Amino acid sequence: MASVSELYDVTWEEMRDKLRKWRDENYRNSEQIVDVGEELLNEHASKLGDDIWIIYEQVMIAALDCSRDDLAVSCLQELKRQFPGSHRVKRLAGMRLEALERYEDATKLYDSILQDDPTNTAARKRKMAMLKAQGKSPEAIRDLNEYLEQFVGDQEAWHELSELYINEHDYAKAAFCLEELMMTNPHNHLYCEQYAEVKYTQGGLDNLELSRKYFAQALKLNNRNMRALFGFYMSASHIAASPKVSAKVKKDNVRYAAWAASQINRAYQSIIRKCDRL
Amino acid sequence: MAGPELFLDSSIRIWVVLPIVFITFLVGVIRHYVTQLLHSDKKVELEQVSDSQVLLRSRILRENGKYLPKQSKRDLEEGRLSLHSATPCHTLWMVLNWSQFHPTTGQQPKHSSKAFAMRKHYFNNAESGFFKKVKRKVIPKNPMTDTSMVTDMMKGNLTNVLPMILIGGWINWAFSGFVTTKVPFPLTLRFKPMLQRGIELLSLDASWVSSASWYFLNVFGLRSMYNLLLGHNNAADQSSIMQDHMTGAAMPVPPDPNKAFKSEWEALEIVNHHWALESVEEELICRDLNFGGMVSRELKTTMF
């Protein structure tokens, strides 16, 4: 089998920089990471210097994703040898146990980390991820709530909680979590749009009006958010079609819906024109 | 203060100016490594982390609360919700399950879009608000008896102040009696006794300084060199230690959480909610959307 460097004609420095780019931007392309990383570690380990340890970690997690337990174990052994007694390495060992579905052993490992250092968030998050993986959503939600009581500022956790609530169809609480995210990231159009979608799903006139406002806010923050544009159109037309609204509200919403429809048409026209030109 | 320019012996340059620079620099580097060796990991308490995050959340609520919906107008009109009759919810979990505890109506209110009001209530309510209820047991840390603080102070003194005094004194003794260098800007006579230790010349321009002042100039001037070699957060950087005492507001763990809670409570009480999205649709509709850059020419499909 041809190696990555032969297939793509790249040097080991380019491979290392590519891995760093994937690391920084949080990519989850595990198969590619395994291909590139494995070759880098086997052929060019001595040239990597101190970068090698973080590459071991990155490749190990990718190997767990691709069920490459052999590669994962070898990476883990190197890390254990270099950093004995490190909590970060222990967490990786726990992740490997999770990948083998040995959940009780993994739980014991994470509990030992937490006994040593109660503020270690990584171990707690792994425990909650295990519950989610086993399908125990209510327990995961309960644990995540307790976690958030102590670490109120953890945005990743708030987002995860909102996802869990949406899966359980508890839209009111999902909206609360998304409000938390909107508060801390007021300029992120995606949170506004997700919040608007949850409100739209909840239904009822007030929620529809709220969702229309937040779709508009998402559009204001990012003009190219097509989902928000469609959402704006749908919520406006829904309100206009509802029998309980006053005439003024109806007129306003008809205007909004018409505007949204014309913008959607414009967008598709511009795409068609660009494609014709290509 | 004109007067003829003094010509200094060039051996002063070789044997005084440069050695002092080297000595200062090396002492700084040694100080950095010694501090790292003596450095003990500060164990952070869970409660401290939690408190600092709560304070951050309250501050963010004050700043960005205007992006959250305040309260559903219909609920207010029908009198179903009232801030004062709302059941005290003193944990976040209970706030999340707010609707189950509503006292006046047996059913759950349909529209729980009272985001800002709910959060302000959670923090500031007279009986159950977080800032009112939670009083952290603050053991005032007596600097004399608290062992960890005493050792920290000792270490700080040992690695920073002591070397400076020792080396400064040694330089003053070893390189005394002659003029070392001239500062490029004119100084008043007041500076003479400070900068010209050991040179008893009344008529000498205050710009001409002795070796001790050259040493102190180096201590502060070589900071950027330390940054270049040792990276940021190096222990040889003394001015940052002095800055730490001044920027108390930026410290992540306030030494007295009760005081911090009280000030946050006061700040939150006076804040009002002006919804930023009142007229967002009107603002949006008045112009066409900008779709620039929505379609890119090529899609990257390969790894490299």
Side-chain angles (χ1 to χ4, degrees):
Chain A
M1 243 186 45
S3 66
V4 169
S5 57
E6 283 167 27
L7 269 177
Y8 296 97
D9 195 17
V10 286
T11 60
W12 69 270
E13 288 108 343
E14 289 175 357
M15 295 188 355
R16 177 199 63 192
D17 292 339
K18 194 57 124 171
L19 277 181
R20 184 185 308 147
K21 174 168 178 270
W22 287 335
R23 216 170 33 235
D24 288 337
E25 298 180 13
N26 250 323
Y27 276 53
R28 194 96 186 251
N29 49 345
S30 303
E31 286 185 3
Q32 292 179 332
I33 294 180
V34 162
D35 285 339
V36 174
E38 192 173 15
E39 182 177 327
L40 206 57
L41 291 171
N42 288 337
E43 313 281 323
H44 310 282
S46 47
K47 303 183 213 147
L48 287 171
D50 269 339
D51 268 348
I52 198 174
W53 309 115
I54 200 158
I55 292 184
Y56 269 131
E57 188 184 27
Q58 186 182 8
V59 170
M60 187 196 156
I61 296 183
L64 291 177
D65 271 343
C66 301
S67 298
R68 289 280 310 269
D69 198 40
D70 54 327
L71 181 57
V73 165
S74 68
C75 293
L76 189 59
Q77 274 170 352
E78 290 297 320
L79 286 170
K80 270 195 182 149
R81 198 182 314 161
Q82 177 70 13
F83 304 105
S86 151
H87 284 162
R88 195 162 156 180
V89 176
K90 252 181 152 178
R91 165 188 154 238
L92 287 175
M95 280 172 80
R96 178 184 162 254
L97 291 173
E98 279 184 56
L100 297 172
E101 297 202 357
R102 287 163 56 180
Y103 293 120
E104 292 84 22
D105 295 336
T107 313
K108 261 196 284 218
L109 196 63
Y110 294 135
D111 283 335
S112 77
I113 297 182
L114 285 173
Q115 227 174 7
D116 224 8
D117 176 14
T119 63
N120 189 319
T121 54
R124 286 180 158 207
K125 288 187 185 179
R126 283 323 305 169
K127 285 175 73 176
M128 295 190 273
M130 272 198 297
L131 287 173
K132 190 175 171 193
Q134 294 172 286
K136 303 181 182 163
S137 269
E139 285 93 342
I141 290 182
R142 188 197 61 212
D143 279 354
L144 197 44
N145 269 323
E146 283 171 16
Y147 171 82
L148 278 170
E149 255 183 68
Q150 300 192 310
F151 297 96
V152 201
D154 190 338
Q155 300 182 19
E156 195 181 54
W158 279 114
H159 206 173
E160 189 63 36
L161 188 59
S162 79
E163 242 180 67
L164 285 172
Y165 275 134
I166 291 178
N167 281 334
E168 298 289 313
H169 303 295
D170 196 341
Y171 298 114
K173 300 194 188 129
F176 183 92
C177 303
L178 285 167
E179 281 161 6
E180 209 55 43
L181 286 169
M182 275 200 305
M183 197 165 75
T184 46
N185 303 290
H187 302 295
N188 187 331
H189 64 104
L190 295 171
Y191 292 146
C192 282
E193 183 221 303
Q194 241 183 339
Y195 181 70
E197 286 175 4
V198 168
K199 282 291 169 198
Y200 183 86
T201 316
Q202 272 184 297
L205 194 55
D206 287 331
N207 286 332
L208 280 177
E209 287 199 346
L210 218 52
S211 86
R212 189 195 67 215
K213 286 220 178 279
Y214 278 95
F215 276 129
Q217 172 76 347
L219 273 176
K220 221 171 104 177
L221 292 170
N222 180 358
N223 274 347
R224 294 176 292 187
N225 192 335
M226 282 310 284
R227 230 174 129 123
L229 187 53
F230 272 103
F232 184 65
Y233 172 76
M234 306 254 324
S235 47
S237 15
H238 241 89
I239 299 177
S242 156
K244 303 187 251 177
V245 290
S246 66
K248 176 177 185 307
V249 171
K250 194 174 189 125
K251 202 166 61 135
D252 280 338
N253 278 292
V254 164
R255 193 162 50 97
Y256 296 150
W259 176 87
S262 73
Q263 294 301 315
I264 295 177
N265 275 324
R266 259 191 70 230
Y268 277 98
Q269 289 296 330
S270 77
I271 294 180
I272 292 174
R273 258 181 284 130
K274 278 220 182 81
C275 289
D276 284 341
R277 249 184 277 146
L278 278 179
Chain B
M1 298 269 224
E5 288 298 323
L6 283 174
F7 276 118
L8 294 178
D9 196 348
S10 53
S11 34
I12 291 185
R13 178 190 63 213
I14 306 173
W15 294 106
V16 177
V17 174
L18 292 177
I20 292 187
V21 176
F22 284 137
I23 292 172
T24 321
F25 186 69
L26 289 173
V27 166
V29 170
I30 293 175
R31 228 180 328 130
H32 166 74
Y33 286 120
V34 168
T35 317
Q36 286 210 323
L37 282 174
L38 294 176
H39 174 68
S40 52
D41 256 328
K42 241 207 310 187
K43 214 142 184 240
V44 194
E45 286 296 311
L46 181 57
E47 216 176 64
Q48 283 177 337
V49 171
S50 174
D51 284 346
S52 63
Q53 292 201 353
V54 170
L55 285 170
L56 188 65
R57 180 170 177 243
S58 160
R59 203 184 81 207
I60 288 186
L61 178 63
R62 271 187 290 130
E63 288 173 12
N64 293 335
K66 59 182 194 269
Y67 295 107
L68 301 181
K70 179 174 192 183
Q71 199 154 348
S72 161
K73 266 195 266 171
R74 171 180 295 188
D75 291 332
L76 268 181
E77 287 158 10
E78 296 184 359
R80 267 199 281 166
L81 293 174
S82 150
L83 267 184
H84 302 292
S85 69
T87 310
C89 337
H90 50 268
T91 63
L92 198 59
W93 187 82
M94 286 174 81
V95 169
L96 288 176
N97 292 292
W98 194 98
S99 42
Q100 297 175 20
F101 294 93
H102 199 274
T104 54
T105 65
Q107 57 188 344
Q108 294 182 9
K110 262 190 287 185
H111 316 293
S112 53
S113 55
K114 41 204 176 310
F116 180 80
M118 188 157 65
R119 285 170 170 82
K120 185 169 169 183
H121 177 92
Y122 163 73
F123 279 120
N124 273 13
N125 181 303
E127 303 123 35
S128 64
F130 184 85
F131 287 138
K132 283 265 150 182
K133 233 180 50 115
V134 175
K135 297 244 179 278
R136 294 280 179 233
K137 269 219 296 275
V138 171
I139 310 157
K141 283 202 160 141
N142 190 343
M144 287 308 134
T145 56
D146 192 30
T147 44
S148 62
M149 275 190 63
V150 167
T151 42
D152 275 340
M153 257 173 32
M154 282 251 332
K155 270 187 240 169
N157 280 340
L158 202 66
T159 51
N160 289 321
V161 178
L162 203 61
M164 199 155 94
I165 296 178
L166 282 177
I167 307 241
W170 175 77
I171 288 187
N172 210 4
W173 170 82
F175 298 109
S176 64
F178 51 84
V179 164
T180 302
T181 182
K182 177 175 196 274
V183 292
F185 42 84
L187 291 173
T188 61
L189 288 170
R190 292 280 208 87
F191 285 99
K192 274 183 76 164
M194 188 163 62
L195 298 176
Q196 286 180 356
R197 282 287 143 101
I199 308 166
E200 314 293 341
L201 282 178
L202 284 175
S203 60
L204 186 57
D205 211 331
S207 302
W208 297 97
V209 297
S210 67
S211 28
S213 39
W214 171 242
Y215 168 68
F216 282 112
L217 205 69
N218 270 302
V219 166
F220 293 109
L222 284 171
R223 217 169 18 108
S224 38
M225 287 279 288
Y226 292 143
N227 271 336
L228 205 63
L229 273 168
L230 304 170
H232 289 280
N233 295 336
N234 61 69
D237 190 354
Q238 285 203 315
S239 60
S240 64
I241 301 172
M242 289 185 244
Q243 271 176 14
D244 270 343
H245 291 302
M246 289 191 266
T247 59
M251 279 199 318
V253 179
D256 185 5
N258 287 331
K259 239 189 286 176
F261 285 168
K262 186 151 196 310
S263 56
E264 267 303 320
W265 179 84
E266 284 166 5
L268 199 51
E269 272 292 297
I270 60 178
V271 87
N272 273 324
H273 181 264
H274 299 291
W275 202 19
L277 303 191
E278 281 294 347
S279 53
V280 62
E281 288 108 338
E282 297 302 326
E283 291 166 21
L284 187 64
I285 292 210
C286 56
R287 65 163 70 99
D288 274 342
L289 294 178
N290 173 16
F291 293 123
M294 195 151 60
V295 186
S296 58
R297 298 217 87 186
E298 33 175 283
L299 201 59
K300 234 173 164 227
T301 46
T302 56
M303 259 200 280
F304 289 96

